[in-house]
Amino acid sequence: MGKIITENDLRSHPPAPGTRRYEVEEGTFVAESARSWLEKREIELVMVPRGTTSGTMSRTPVPDRGNRTYLDAATGLGLGREKPEEMTHLRGNLLVKKTHPRIAFRGKLDSLEAAVLEAQALAHRDNQPGIRDDLGEVLEHLRMVLGAEVKNEPLGELPLMGMDQAQVRRVSHHVKEELGIDHPIPSWEMGELALRLNTIRTQVREAELAAAAAFEAPGEAPRPDIIRELNRLSSGVYIIFCRLIASQ
């Protein structure tokens, strides 16, 4: 996955006073909230070829500390200058086994993002720009979840499809009142896009369970913000699914 720039990144590392141009490498995902943050300050967001940027967020290199260049996150023991192949980054120079619950959770998010992108392609093929754009917002939120988890940063509550958390919950629970249809029972006759949306809904639930397992593990700090956001995204995808069915 490419680089991610969120509003929190910009607030933590703001452009220098007087900056009028903020460069990011092509392929960087810039959250909509970060774009708005720049726009309000009349700073132009410019995409430039890889390796030519002067203003992107870059990955901090791991400094050479000899035997303690890399550390086992569970024991604090030094692992040498070379990262063991059977381990991966938790954050910074802290490494964990690839079976660690946090890494399993990241894998669920990665698979989920891939599924959303495929559904966007289907929506575009089927001339459903509203569905495609709503899924784009879901994708943005998933990337924010990943960024908040990797960086150990809080995840603020953001609107989803123009709705706050309470509104998302209300619409998803009162489909008849809000969208004019009964809660739909999935059927093959609904078509490929509808079934893909239903699958994504289940995958969001799986990611939520993986997050619960990761952050309930010994030594882990609870992340109710991430659990809450995934729960809301599951409802959001269900709303997208129901809107499609209501339009057929």
Side-chain angles (χ1 to χ4, degrees):
M1 181 177 169
K3 295 178 182 176
I4 303 171
I5 296 179
T6 67
E7 182 179 354
N8 283 338
D9 292 325
L10 295 174
R11 290 183 181 278
S12 300
H13 305 281
T19 297
R20 288 291 172 261
R21 176 186 171 97
Y22 190 80
E23 296 180 353
V24 297
E25 291 181 347
E26 292 175 348
T28 299
F29 175 78
V30 183
E32 192 61 38
S33 57
R35 293 176 182 270
S36 297
W37 191 93
L38 291 169
E39 184 178 346
K40 288 177 182 177
R41 290 156 181 79
E42 298 182 347
I43 299 174
E44 181 185 9
L45 177 65
V46 180
M47 294 288 180
V48 298
R50 293 181 183 273
T52 64
T53 178
S54 60
T56 65
M57 304 298 296
S58 58
R59 177 175 292 180
T60 303
V62 176
D64 188 338
R65 298 192 181 97
N67 188 52
R68 295 184 64 79
T69 298
Y70 291 102
L71 301 177
D72 187 320
T75 65
L77 295 176
L79 297 171
R81 290 188 172 92
E82 297 295 326
K83 183 178 75 66
E85 289 296 323
E86 72 276 11
M87 303 187 80
T88 190
H89 292 271
L90 179 61
R91 62 182 178 277
N93 69 331
L94 297 178
L95 304 183
V96 292
K97 295 288 187 182
K98 294 181 179 180
T99 54
H100 190 281
R102 290 273 290 270
I103 306 306
F105 170 54
R106 292 175 191 175
K108 287 288 187 182
L109 286 180
D110 195 23
S111 298
L112 181 53
E113 289 175 20
V116 172
L117 286 167
E118 289 178 349
Q120 280 189 289
L122 286 178
H124 182 74
R125 181 200 68 184
D126 292 351
N127 194 28
Q128 293 282 355
I131 300 293
R132 180 196 62 211
D133 293 347
D134 286 344
L135 286 170
E137 195 167 343
V138 170
L139 182 64
E140 178 178 328
H141 280 242
L142 289 170
R143 287 170 169 168
M144 289 180 179
V145 168
L146 178 59
E149 185 274 320
V150 171
K151 299 175 184 177
N152 275 345
E153 294 178 347
L155 185 66
E157 183 179 337
L158 300 169
L160 180 64
M161 298 182 292
M163 297 179 285
D164 61 23
Q165 185 173 350
Q167 290 170 320
V168 170
R169 178 179 176 84
R170 185 179 70 248
V171 174
S172 65
H173 281 70
H174 301 281
V175 173
K176 182 71 171 180
E177 177 184 341
E178 298 289 340
L179 301 177
I181 61 171
D182 293 320
H183 286 281
I185 299 174
S187 164
W188 68 267
E189 298 172 311
M190 290 177 173
E192 186 179 2
L193 179 57
L195 296 180
R196 187 67 61 90
L197 290 171
N198 184 58
T199 298
I200 291 172
R201 177 190 61 79
T202 68
Q203 289 176 301
V204 179
R205 288 295 190 191
E206 290 176 358
E208 182 183 350
L209 291 174
F215 297 114
E216 290 175 3
E220 291 289 347
R223 290 301 302 263
D225 54 339
I226 287 179
I227 304 296
R228 181 181 63 244
E229 178 63 18
L230 289 169
N231 184 271
R232 185 171 66 129
L233 285 174
S234 174
S235 297
V237 174
Y238 181 64
I239 291 171
I240 297 172
F241 169 73
C242 290
R243 285 176 175 173
L244 178 61
I245 300 303
S247 70
Q248 293 177 342

